[in-house]
Amino acid sequence: MSKLQELNGHMDVVRSVTFSPDGKSIVCGSHDESVRVWDVFSGRLLQGLNGHTDWVTSVAFSPDGKSIVSGSHDESVRVWDVSDGRQLQELNGHTNWVTSVAFSPDGKSIVSGSCDKSIRVWDASSDRQLQELNGHTSCITSVAFSPDGKSIASGSYDKSVRVWDAYSGRQLQEMNGHTSWVTSVAFSPDGKSIVSRSHDKSVRVWDVSGGRLWQESNGHTSLVTSVAFSPDGKSIVSGSHDESVRVWDVSSGRQLQELNGLTSSVTSVAFSPDGKSIISGSHGECAQVWDASNDRQLQELDGHLELITSVAFSPNGKSIASGSYDKSVRVWDASSGRQLQEMNGHTSWVTSVAFSPDGKSIVSGSYDKSVRVWNAFSGRQLQELDGHTDWVTSVAFSPDGKSIVSGSYDESVRVWDVSDGRQLQGLNGHTSWVTSVAFSPDGKSIVSGSYHQSVRVWDASSGIQLQKFNGHTGWITSVAFSPDVKSIVSGSCDKSIRVWDASSDRQLQELNGHTSCITSVAFSPDGKSIVSGSYDKSVRVWNAFSAIQLQELEGHMD
């Protein structure tokens, strides 16, 4: 199997993952208390569902794909609208952690299992409880409806698998044999079999009608954490604390495939509706999508050899430029993540990069105290601007492409003529290192950030200070105007990205997700997205208005 997609965004362990009925979306539940919905093909975050006040332990789509149900350690079951992220229902009644949830095949009912030892059936359209199923003597770990909706299967820390009548609540079967906690159960597509996995490291298949054990599969070298049937019922996928995902033949119990290479415990697995893909969640705080048919690697992004210091969108949004401590400037295809160019010439760390308005040139600043201009298509150096007496921290083109502004550790902001490299102006006022500078889209203003945690706006023609923004608790590393000049974005070593009203000192948004110092921020050409780079080695794309993370581009090695 090969990895198709890696979905990043959760800030803690991903506990539960599953495909939508049409296979186009994935929902994840996490210890970060959130539920997130992703596009399978692009890896784009579609919805962030917030409301739970403790770990989200289980998530499931409704059969029509329009709703999601989630269970949590906050003892609640919640139902969400997929299209707008709105919470539709909150089902309360459990007196301990909710560990597993599922919709009935007709979408009218929801079943939940809890560490209060009970299984409850709910009306999906209201908060009314329909049934309470009691019999297990310990925490319920997993529940599932049969394909016809008439039965419910459950697994428990009491080591048993039980089958219940969904309408009357009567226990129909009890299967015993596991020597440790049963952690997951699922029906086969025809409803005649149940698969269970356990902390005894085994996967077992049971006959529903008689409770007889049909198959036992062993192979994992640590706790089996999750199992699921393929849509045709012929295969089973399992995930384990041994950091592997395995596929098994149901009829023979033979292992068909093993995926190795994960660096943390697998917490959840599921087949796509067409059976061609498998999704897994792990303690690595992300979800992976794999090609179930072969072990061919589809894509690998390699690039900078050290940490990323700066990123910028091209004017048409099709390319991204990045600078790095490896002294290089690189250009990437924004949609695929493919590297297009590498520019070398700086003799020390590259600290800042920016595209010219026509997208044909890139300017870069460096700890070598120089500002350089490059051809974006050929990678050829066009100009070297010298004058700063200390490290150059930030550079930007004017809207007409004729001027460049630079900020430096020498506490100055300088404006340069692109054609001949002549210094046109110096803006003085900062009392510490200038860490970031940018022109406004109309060319009338310049914004600068400083080590002293402030963001300042200047009149480009007169040099008068117009605004000062305070709020960051770490030094400012990057600033930029929105295309409509109404907003300013700033990144800081307090790990946050903030969006400000350019005409006042009001903060509009705070974007959190990076796990280390933010090194660079920029608006997309339409102003709807923000791209950020960080010492955490990731490049992230955000919705500028909702603060939702849309994409994470990985490949940088430091």
Side-chain angles (χ1 to χ4, degrees):
M1 287 182 287
S2 58
K3 186 191 293 185
L4 299 178
Q5 196 66 254
E6 183 165 340
L7 314 177
N8 294 285
H10 281 295
M11 293 179 286
D12 209 330
V13 173
V14 175
R15 185 66 177 269
S16 180
V17 293
T18 189
F19 280 95
S20 60
D22 61 9
K24 296 179 180 179
S25 303
I26 291 168
V27 62
C28 301
S30 169
H31 282 190
D32 66 9
E33 304 177 6
S34 75
V35 177
R36 302 191 183 212
V37 186
W38 311 83
D39 183 278
V40 170
F41 305 107
S42 68
R44 184 170 59 92
L45 179 62
L46 302 177
Q47 288 290 351
L49 315 178
N50 297 293
H52 283 295
T53 58
D54 207 333
W55 296 351
V56 178
T57 53
S58 182
V59 291
F61 274 98
S62 60
D64 61 9
K66 295 180 179 180
S67 302
I68 290 169
V69 62
S70 59
S72 169
H73 274 201
D74 66 11
E75 303 177 5
S76 75
V77 177
R78 301 184 188 225
V79 185
W80 311 84
D81 186 290
V82 173
S83 63
D84 60 14
R86 184 169 48 94
Q87 182 177 303
L88 302 176
Q89 295 291 342
E90 181 174 348
L91 313 178
N92 294 297
H94 283 296
T95 58
N96 206 327
W97 304 337
V98 177
T99 56
S100 183
V101 292
F103 272 97
S104 60
D106 62 7
K108 295 180 179 180
S109 302
I110 291 169
V111 63
S112 60
S114 168
C115 276
D116 64 9
K117 307 176 189 177
S118 76
I119 300 161
R120 302 187 187 222
V121 184
W122 311 84
D123 184 324
S125 62
S126 69
D127 59 359
R128 186 165 58 95
Q129 182 178 304
L130 303 177
Q131 287 290 346
E132 182 175 344
L133 317 179
N134 294 293
H136 281 293
T137 58
S138 189
C139 179
I140 311 296
T141 56
S142 183
V143 291
F145 272 101
S146 60
D148 61 10
K150 295 179 180 180
S151 302
I152 292 169
S154 60
S156 168
Y157 276 14
D158 66 12
K159 307 175 188 177
S160 73
V161 177
R162 304 189 187 213
V163 184
W164 312 81
D165 185 289
Y167 304 115
S168 68
R170 182 170 60 91
Q171 183 177 304
L172 303 175
Q173 289 290 350
E174 180 176 347
M175 293 87 149
N176 294 293
H178 282 295
T179 58
S180 188
W181 305 337
V182 176
T183 51
S184 182
V185 294
F187 277 95
S188 61
D190 60 9
K192 295 180 180 180
S193 306
I194 290 172
V195 61
S196 61
R197 49 92 168 167
S198 166
H199 274 201
D200 64 14
K201 305 177 186 177
S202 73
V203 177
R204 303 187 184 214
V205 183
W206 310 84
D207 172 32
V208 171
S209 61
R212 181 171 58 90
L213 178 63
W214 275 356
Q215 288 289 346
E216 180 175 353
S217 303
N218 295 286
H220 284 293
T221 58
S222 188
L223 306 180
V224 179
T225 56
S226 185
V227 292
F229 272 100
S230 61
D232 61 9
K234 295 180 180 179
S235 303
I236 292 169
V237 62
S238 60
S240 168
H241 279 189
D242 65 10
E243 301 178 0
S244 74
V245 176
R246 304 186 187 220
V247 183
W248 312 84
D249 181 80
V250 171
S251 61
S252 67
R254 182 172 57 91
Q255 182 177 304
L256 302 176
Q257 290 219 46
E258 178 178 354
L259 169 64
N260 293 299
L262 294 171
T263 57
S264 60
S265 300
V266 179
T267 57
S268 185
V269 292
F271 274 98
S272 61
D274 61 7
K276 294 180 180 179
S277 303
I278 290 170
I279 184 172
S280 62
S282 77
H283 278 282
E285 303 176 9
C286 64
Q288 302 88 20
V289 184
W290 312 90
D291 187 320
S293 63
N294 59 61
D295 58 2
R296 182 172 59 91
Q297 182 174 308
L298 300 181
Q299 193 177 62
E300 180 176 354
L301 306 181
D302 292 311
H304 287 294
L305 305 177
E306 294 193 53
L307 66 86
I308 306 160
T309 56
S310 182
V311 290
F313 272 105
S314 62
N316 61 11
K318 294 181 179 180
S319 303
I320 292 173
S322 60
S324 169
Y325 274 17
D326 65 9
K327 307 176 188 177
S328 73
V329 177
R330 303 189 187 218
V331 184
W332 311 81
D333 184 284
S335 61
S336 69
R338 184 170 58 91
Q339 183 178 305
L340 303 175
Q341 286 292 342
E342 178 177 350
M343 292 86 150
N344 295 292
H346 282 293
T347 59
S348 188
W349 302 340
V350 176
T351 55
S352 182
V353 294
F355 274 96
S356 60
D358 60 9
K360 296 179 180 180
S361 302
I362 293 170
V363 61
S364 59
S366 169
Y367 273 19
D368 64 12
K369 306 177 188 178
S370 74
V371 177
R372 302 186 187 221
V373 185
W374 312 84
N375 184 297
F377 304 113
S378 69
R380 183 171 59 91
Q381 182 176 305
L382 303 176
Q383 195 68 255
E384 182 174 348
L385 315 177
D386 294 309
H388 281 294
T389 58
D390 209 334
W391 302 338
V392 177
T393 56
S394 182
V395 291
F397 274 98
S398 60
D400 60 10
K402 296 179 180 179
S403 304
I404 289 170
V405 63
S406 59
S408 169
Y409 268 34
D410 64 12
E411 301 179 6
S412 73
V413 177
R414 304 189 186 210
V415 184
W416 310 84
D417 185 286
V418 172
S419 62
D420 60 14
R422 182 170 51 94
Q423 182 178 313
L424 301 176
Q425 196 177 46
L427 301 178
N428 297 296
H430 281 293
T431 57
S432 186
W433 309 331
V434 177
T435 54
S436 182
V437 293
F439 273 101
S440 61
D442 59 10
K444 296 179 179 179
S445 304
I446 291 171
V447 62
S448 59
S450 167
Y451 183 79
H452 277 176
Q453 306 173 9
S454 69
V455 177
R456 300 178 189 232
V457 183
W458 312 83
D459 184 285
S461 60
S462 67
I464 295 174
Q465 182 178 304
L466 303 176
Q467 294 290 344
K468 181 179 178 181
F469 305 129
N470 294 298
H472 281 295
T473 57
W475 55 291
I476 310 299
T477 56
S478 184
V479 292
F481 274 96
S482 62
D484 62 6
V485 197
K486 294 181 180 179
S487 303
I488 290 170
V489 63
S490 58
S492 167
C493 274
D494 63 11
K495 306 177 188 177
S496 76
I497 299 159
R498 302 188 187 219
V499 184
W500 312 85
D501 184 328
S503 61
S504 70
D505 60 359
R506 186 166 60 95
Q507 181 179 304
L508 303 177
Q509 291 287 353
E510 181 173 345
L511 318 179
N512 294 293
H514 281 293
T515 58
S516 190
C517 181
I518 310 296
T519 55
S520 183
V521 293
F523 275 97
S524 61
D526 61 8
K528 296 179 180 179
S529 302
I530 292 168
V531 62
S532 59
S534 167
Y535 280 7
D536 65 13
K537 307 175 189 176
S538 72
V539 177
R540 303 186 186 218
V541 184
W542 311 81
N543 183 298
F545 306 111
S546 68
I548 293 174
Q549 183 178 307
L550 304 176
Q551 191 65 264
E552 179 170 354
L553 312 177
E554 295 188 308
H556 289 289
M557 301 172 63
D558 207 341

